[in-house]
Amino acid sequence: MKRIILTTLSYLLLSSFAFASEDMAMNKYKGFYIGAGIGTTNFNIKGVGELFNDELTGYSSESDGMSYKIFTGYQFNRIVALEAEYTKYGNLKHTFEFDDEDFTVKTKRNSFSLATNIGYTFDNGLRPFSIIGISKVFDKHSSKDELDFKLKEKGGSVRLGAGLDYQFAGVRGLGIRTAYEVDLYSDSRVGSWIMGVTYKL
């Protein structure tokens, strides 16, 4: 009788352990996560001369400063996640030349995005992924020279990106991310390469 009881208890304990292990294996591929990153700012603006009726005799632009991102999301399984992100881009500096006179306009840009993160989480912790979604972009333009103006703009854009996540095996929940993401307009794009950390809750 004791042997039967011991055998039954052993079976129940082993079964519980097996189910718990299976549940843990499934759960490590889903759940909420948060992250933050820092990176470069790059951009491309088309048709600047057309905006000024071809009166523009010279134009140059450059980025000034880093991009900063914070994001959060929910991973449903190995493949699909939904992600929300705030991005503060580095300042964009535009120099216009009219009749041998230079005028400088500085643009501060940030955006909020909601996107689908599609990839595949391998057992070794690597997850290559792509991003597709929408974003709301906010611009503040200002100039302190003879133009002396301030202007605020906002609009929608498409958010695209690709990257790689890695979850450390020895530290539960902790990971790193490298990615390139870009906000696309009809006449311009602004993007950034980032390196960041993630934590799965």
Side-chain angles (χ1 to χ4, degrees):
M1 186 67 178
K2 290 182 179 180
R3 183 176 297 176
I4 294 174
I5 294 174
L6 287 173
T7 302
T8 303
L9 288 174
S10 298
Y11 174 77
L12 290 173
L13 286 172
L14 289 172
S15 298
S16 299
F17 179 76
F19 282 119
S21 298
E22 183 180 352
D23 186 57
M24 288 176 64
M26 292 176 62
N27 285 338
K28 73 177 182 179
Y29 300 118
K30 66 179 182 179
F32 288 99
Y33 59 91
I34 57 174
I38 184 172
T40 61
T41 300
N42 54 76
F43 64 98
N44 181 38
I45 299 176
K46 301 177 182 178
V48 174
E50 297 174 3
L51 296 176
F52 296 89
N53 298 318
D54 295 324
E55 296 176 5
L56 194 66
T57 57
Y59 170 75
S60 64
S61 59
E62 61 182 346
S63 61
D64 176 20
M66 308 293 287
S67 290
Y68 300 93
K69 297 173 181 280
I70 55 174
F71 53 90
T72 185
Y74 185 84
Q75 186 171 343
F76 297 94
N77 48 44
R78 285 180 184 257
I79 298 172
V80 180
L82 186 64
E83 197 166 287
E85 182 178 289
Y86 168 75
T87 304
K88 182 184 183 301
Y89 291 106
N91 294 335
L92 308 181
K93 183 180 178 182
H94 313 279
T95 301
F96 304 90
E97 184 179 333
F98 294 94
D99 297 328
D100 296 326
E101 287 191 60
D102 290 341
F103 302 92
T104 300
V105 176
K106 182 179 288 187
T107 298
K108 295 182 179 181
R109 175 169 292 176
N110 54 70
S111 70
F112 294 91
S113 66
L114 182 64
T116 303
N117 181 312
I118 303 292
Y120 187 83
T121 307
F122 293 95
D123 292 335
N124 61 5
L126 287 173
R127 176 182 167 82
F129 64 87
S130 60
I131 291 282
I132 183 168
I134 56 174
S135 58
K136 190 76 170 182
V137 180
F138 299 85
D139 288 346
K140 292 182 180 179
H141 309 287
S142 62
S143 177
K144 294 183 179 179
D145 49 32
E146 292 183 11
L147 295 177
D148 191 24
F149 76 94
K150 292 183 180 180
L151 174 66
K152 293 183 179 180
E153 291 184 310
K154 61 182 177 180
S157 68
V158 176
R159 168 63 64 93
L160 298 177
L164 181 67
D165 283 336
Y166 177 71
Q167 291 288 318
F168 293 102
V171 185
R172 185 181 180 277
L174 184 64
I176 58 174
R177 168 179 290 194
T178 180
Y180 179 76
E181 297 176 354
V182 60
D183 289 314
L184 293 172
Y185 304 78
S186 59
D187 59 351
S188 66
R189 63 168 175 80
V190 180
S192 62
W193 282 100
I194 67 152
M195 283 292 297
V197 294
T198 62
Y199 185 78
K200 184 168 286 187
L201 305 177

